[in-house]
């Protein structure tokens, strides 16, 4: 996961919320540890059944942290919902009926950026600039535009 702290900071979160966002970003995919390594290391296309297993990881992540007293409830919800999209798509549940909290919006964008710019067993990593363009244009309406613009402005300072 990329460091979410600068995004949260630039979005005017207070210090405590910046730390909470960072914790949420680090723990968002901890539920992947509950999945079989053979599934995580597959090189070929996943079947519908395998996708169903992968789509359960946010639920596993949430269950792993739900009783923690040091993590805000809104961050726990963000860990559960970080694969949800503003247009109601995503998993583990569709989110059209309620607004996403800021932590969810930040972690969702950061997670996609990290996933697409990281090497995977089934595909090569992509250029960060290409990924930013894809998130900004191709996925328009799926992510909070303020979060996307914040990530974009943060990324432009890198050489």
């Amino acid at each position: 996961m990329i460091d979410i702290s600068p995004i949260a900071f630039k979005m005017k979160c207070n210090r405590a919320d910046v730390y909470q966002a960072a914790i949420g970003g680090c723990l968002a995919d901890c539920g992947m540890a509950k999945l079989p390594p053979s599934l995580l290391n597959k090189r070929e296309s996943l079947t519908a059944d395998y996708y169903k297993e992968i789509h359960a990881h946010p639920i596993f992540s949430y269950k792993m942290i739900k009783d923690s007293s040091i993590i805000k409830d809104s961050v726990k919800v963000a860990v559960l919902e970080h694969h949800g999209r503003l247009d109601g798509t995503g998993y583990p549940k569709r989110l059209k009926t309620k607004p996403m909290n800021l932590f969810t919006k930040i972690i969702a964008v950061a997670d996609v950026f990290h996933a697409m710019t990281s090497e995977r067993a089934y595909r090569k990593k992509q250029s960060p600039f290409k990924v930013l363009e894809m998130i900004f244009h191709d996925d328009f309406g799926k992510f909070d535009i303020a979060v996307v613009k914040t990530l974009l402005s943060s990324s432009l300072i890198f050489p």
Side-chain angles (χ1 to χ4, degrees):
M1 177 64 72
I2 67 169
D3 184 3
I4 292 176
S5 305
I7 300 170
F9 179 78
K10 283 188 166 195
M11 295 202 70
K12 308 282 190 247
C13 289
N14 64 42
R15 178 179 270 186
D17 284 347
V18 169
Y19 291 141
Q20 287 287 312
I23 290 168
C26 290
L27 296 175
D29 286 334
C30 67
M32 295 292 268
K34 299 279 189 183
L35 301 177
S38 59
L39 174 61
L40 300 175
N41 297 321
K42 285 187 89 54
R43 292 188 176 275
E44 60 273 359
S45 296
L46 298 178
T47 65
D49 288 338
Y50 286 141
Y51 272 115
K52 196 173 185 179
E53 284 186 66
I54 293 280
H55 289 181
H57 85 270
I59 296 167
F60 295 143
S61 298
Y62 176 78
K63 287 179 179 180
M64 292 167 79
I65 66 167
K66 70 181 175 67
D67 295 326
S68 173
S69 61
I70 62 169
I71 302 172
K72 290 176 80 166
D73 288 342
S74 53
V75 173
K76 294 173 188 176
V77 168
V79 166
L80 176 63
E81 297 179 346
H82 75 279
H83 283 289
R85 302 295 178 251
L86 292 177
D87 65 357
T89 61
Y91 61 89
K93 57 184 177 178
R94 308 241 182 251
L95 301 172
K96 268 189 171 169
T97 57
K98 65 176 185 148
M100 297 167 104
N101 72 50
L102 182 60
F103 295 121
T104 302
K105 294 173 186 179
I106 292 171
I107 294 171
V109 171
D111 184 66
V112 166
F113 182 81
H114 178 260
M116 294 176 75
T117 57
S118 298
E119 195 79 27
R120 300 289 192 226
Y122 52 89
R123 67 158 170 74
K124 295 198 177 296
K125 66 181 177 178
Q126 298 181 49
S127 155
F129 299 106
K130 177 67 176 168
V131 171
L132 286 169
E133 181 182 339
M134 290 168 65
I135 291 171
F136 195 73
H137 293 289
D138 299 348
D139 290 332
F140 188 80
K142 292 183 181 285
F143 300 105
D144 184 272
I145 194 68
V147 176
V148 173
K149 285 182 176 180
T150 302
L151 174 63
L152 185 61
S153 70
S154 299
S155 300
L156 293 177
I157 61 171
F158 296 121

